[in-house]
Amino acid sequence: GRRDGTSQDEPFGFAAREYLRRKCIGQQVTFRVDYAVAQIGREFGTVYVGTENVALAMVQQGLAQVRQMGSNPQE
């Protein structure tokens, strides 16, 4: 949810944030750019702690879901 308290967390939101804190704080992380969208001036990529893909680890722990490109989040 938002930090101002105006929305509720996603299911397992707190557990997912705690997992990230434990895994990443105090560790050297690497961000590898996978692609960039020039129109909005943003880069998208993958975060690693050592050789471990952090997003993949979260999916494996059941703390995140894979979103298919173009899928409707309301489905």
Side-chain angles (χ1 to χ4, degrees), residues 23 32 46-58 60:
K23 181 162 286 297
R32 187 189 78 208
T46 306
V47 175
Y48 293 90
V49 173
T51 60
E52 183 179 28
N53 178 326
V54 174
L56 181 58
M58 291 190 70
Q60 290 171 334

Side-chain angles (χ1 to χ4, degrees), residues 16-29 47-50 52-58 61 63:
R17 283 190 301 277
E18 286 302 308
Y19 179 83
L20 284 174
R21 285 184 188 109
R22 286 192 313 274
K23 181 162 286 297
C24 297
I25 288 182
Q27 301 298 314
Q28 182 172 349
V29 299
V47 175
Y48 293 90
V49 173
E52 183 179 28
N53 178 326
V54 174
L56 181 58
M58 291 190 70
Q61 293 294 315
L63 297 169

